[in-house]
Amino acid sequence: MTDDYQISGEYLHLLSEPAWQALGTPVAEALRGASGAATLLDVGAGTGLGTEVLAGAVPDGDVVAVEPSPVLRAVLLSRIAARPDLRQRVTVLAGDALGVDLPDRLGAVLAMNMIGHLSPEGRRLFLRRVAERLVPGAPLVLNLQPPAEPTSVPFEVFAAVPVGRHTYEGGGSAEPSGPDSVTWRMRYRVLDADGTTVREDHAAYHWHVTASEVLLAELAEAGLVGEVGPLDVVRAVRRP
Ligand SMILES: C[S@@+](CC[C@H](N)C(=O)[O-])C[C@H]1O[C@@H](n2cnc3c(N)ncnc32)[C@H](O)[C@@H]1O
């Protein structure tokens, strides 16, 4: 099995922290209605930045974090293990959104920064899988990421984070690669204190774009009512 995050896995946690400083509050807010009486699920948990928000939103619930990438799972597991409160109640599963066995009842589902990894058919199947398991009032929380259409995105540095005398920098650009997808080309650099490049890595990944009205229609098809909130965080609950 190949690991899409084999190269970027080293950088992802560090470079996602600034984005999660902004996402934490809107995601916690969107998780209102989550129920600790059923399983709290984080799909494509990555290094666990969202898992922590989910666990914090429902302090007594059992959390399942699903992560297909072995590199990211190693970071996730070590971060969970280092937190005595989380290590009691977060179970890490090696699996993906469509193949993982799901519990019958879900008290909330988080799927942040991952929906573009699923094809349109996969996305609809995923929405159905979780919709039929969410207990009444429990939210599915995910987000939309630009571009909404298959268009070019010029190169931009997303984040630069210092650790020791190095600064870790991540950036990328995107090009259309199909009727509903782009290919992101990422560049990661480790810079020394004087700005010279110590190391440079590149990674590319396929990303399915989704316009908000398309996603809202697919949520409705799955029996959910969705709304788009701050920072394009989408909250959906089962239609009463
Ligand atoms: C950009 S990362 C986001 C990680 C984390 N949710 C966050 O927001 O920090 C995308 C995540 O989706 C995961 N992923 C990729 N394909 C997936 C699939 N088919 N099912 C579930 N997760 C998947 C990746 O391994 C990665 O952890």
Side-chain angles (χ1 to χ4, degrees), residues 140-163:
L140 161 65
V141 177
L142 50 81
N143 62 332
L144 291 159
Q145 288 179 288
E149 306 286 335
T151 50
S152 299
V153 180
F155 181 85
E156 189 190 343
V157 170
F158 300 137
V161 181
V163 178

Side-chain angles (χ1 to χ4, degrees), residues 3-5 12 16 20 23 42-50 66-69 72 95-98 111-114 117-118 145 205 207:
D3 184 348
D4 287 346
Y5 283 79
L12 193 80
S16 300
W20 270 99
L23 281 171
D42 187 6
V43 184
T47 66
L49 284 158
V66 177
E67 176 46 53
S69 155
L72 295 183
D96 63 51
L98 305 183
M112 287 296 294
N113 303 311
M114 68 72 68
H117 280 301
L118 305 181
Q145 288 179 288
Y205 62 91
W207 187 256

Side-chain angles (χ1 to χ4, degrees), residues 213-229:
E213 55 276 15
V214 172
L215 182 67
L216 292 174
E218 290 175 356
L219 288 166
E221 238 176 69
L224 299 167
V225 184
E227 59 184 1
V228 183

Side-chain angles (χ1 to χ4, degrees), residues 29-84:
E29 163 61 18
L31 284 167
R32 68 189 180 279
S35 166
T39 304
L40 305 164
L41 183 71
D42 187 6
V43 184
T47 66
L49 284 158
T51 317
E52 290 173 306
V53 177
L54 179 59
V58 190
D60 57 351
D62 276 343
V63 179
V64 169
V66 177
E67 176 46 53
S69 155
V71 174
L72 295 183
R73 217 163 49 238
V75 181
L76 171 66
L77 195 57
S78 62
R79 282 182 11 88
I80 298 296
R83 292 250 328 240

